[in-house]
Amino acid sequence: MGKNIVLIGFMGTGKSSIGFRLAQRLRITFIDMDKEIEKITGMTVAEIFKRHGEVRFRSEEILLARKLSQSRDLVIATGGGVVLQEENITNLRQNGLVICLDAEPQDILRRVKRKAGLRPLLRKKNRVEDIEQMLAEREKYYTCADYRFNTSDKGLDDVVQEILRVVQDKI
Ligand code: S3P
């Protein structure tokens, strides 16, 4: 039985797509925290924010991170804001290797635009300066990672390969 791989990082850095492929390659289970919260609550993330506010979403994240910290052999794609609550990091680190995915602000903007509407926190932020500002505010939280990988200008499988090379003997 091995450690979990926990992917953190800003919105649009590829946590879900890379996490899914990484889990396939390692033949372990993939958990997408946003999707899991949607299953648990019966609402989309956007609906939770709209009807009940960010605080409710953050408390669902806390409960789920507590639960996941009891499991093993998972690849977990977190939501970009999971790091804002210290308890989550403590819990997810407990039996997990934390990997932060990074991307250039222009790439983040391009990627999130494709799925506009899914990310309530970016609803009114559609300039690269907005992304740069949020990234700067959050940088201090993302430094808790054991490893960081930049996903700009790379194919998903190339990033997966890079991650596998580094983590294979550590989980
Ligand atoms: C959030 C990121 C989203 C989602 C929610 C809040 C954030 O996840 O959890 O909209 O605070 O950065 P993704 O990083 O998967 O987009």
Side-chain angles (χ1 to χ4, degrees):
M1 294 287 268
K3 277 187 172 186
N4 297 327
I5 296 184
V6 181
L7 299 178
I8 64 168
F10 199 76
M11 294 168 264
T13 51
K15 301 180 297 291
S16 302
S17 337
I18 289 168
F20 178 76
R21 284 168 173 77
L22 198 56
Q24 272 186 330
R25 291 286 302 274
L26 292 167
R27 297 175 200 276
I28 58 179
T29 304
F30 172 62
I31 300 278
D32 186 315
M33 285 187 68
D34 285 349
K35 292 268 154 21
E36 210 57 28
I37 290 173
E38 292 185 339
K39 270 192 236 158
I40 292 166
T41 61
M43 290 179 275
T44 65
V45 170
E47 277 167 357
I48 303 174
F49 270 74
K50 192 160 171 233
R51 291 201 212 155
H52 304 283
E54 183 173 348
V55 174
R56 166 73 190 278
F57 177 75
R58 297 299 176 204
S59 56
E60 295 293 342
E61 265 184 333
I62 289 208
L63 294 177
L64 182 58
R66 277 183 202 156
K67 189 172 136 204
L68 293 175
S69 68
Q70 308 302 315
S71 320
R72 303 179 76 83
D73 289 316
L74 302 174
V75 174
I76 302 170
T78 63
V82 101
V83 290
L84 302 176
Q85 308 183 94
E86 206 181 333
E87 181 189 334
N88 290 340
I89 296 302
T90 310
N91 285 336
L92 292 167
R93 286 194 88 94
Q94 208 168 291
N95 62 338
L97 197 66
V98 179
I99 294 181
C100 182
L101 300 183
D102 296 300
E104 301 309 319
Q106 303 89 305
D107 293 322
I108 291 177
L109 189 61
R110 188 171 42 76
R111 292 173 187 171
V112 298
K113 263 190 184 160
R114 276 190 244 135
K115 291 186 184 164
L118 288 189
R119 293 175 168 104
L121 294 181
L122 294 182
R123 214 156 45 89
K124 292 185 189 130
K125 303 194 185 211
N126 39 31
R127 296 172 315 149
V128 80
E129 293 81 10
D130 296 324
I131 305 287
E132 279 167 352
Q133 192 193 340
M134 277 186 88
L135 274 172
E137 284 164 11
R138 290 202 173 171
E139 173 54 24
K140 60 176 178 291
Y141 299 104
Y142 294 130
T143 54
C144 68
D146 296 304
Y147 299 96
R148 294 182 81 157
F149 295 88
N150 198 307
T151 66
S152 278
D153 301 325
K154 282 179 205 155
L156 293 175
D157 289 324
D158 296 328
V159 182
V160 169
Q161 205 54 43
E162 270 183 47
I163 298 177
L164 282 174
R165 265 201 296 274
V166 173
V167 305
Q168 222 140 25
D169 57 339
K170 299 188 179 66
I171 53 172

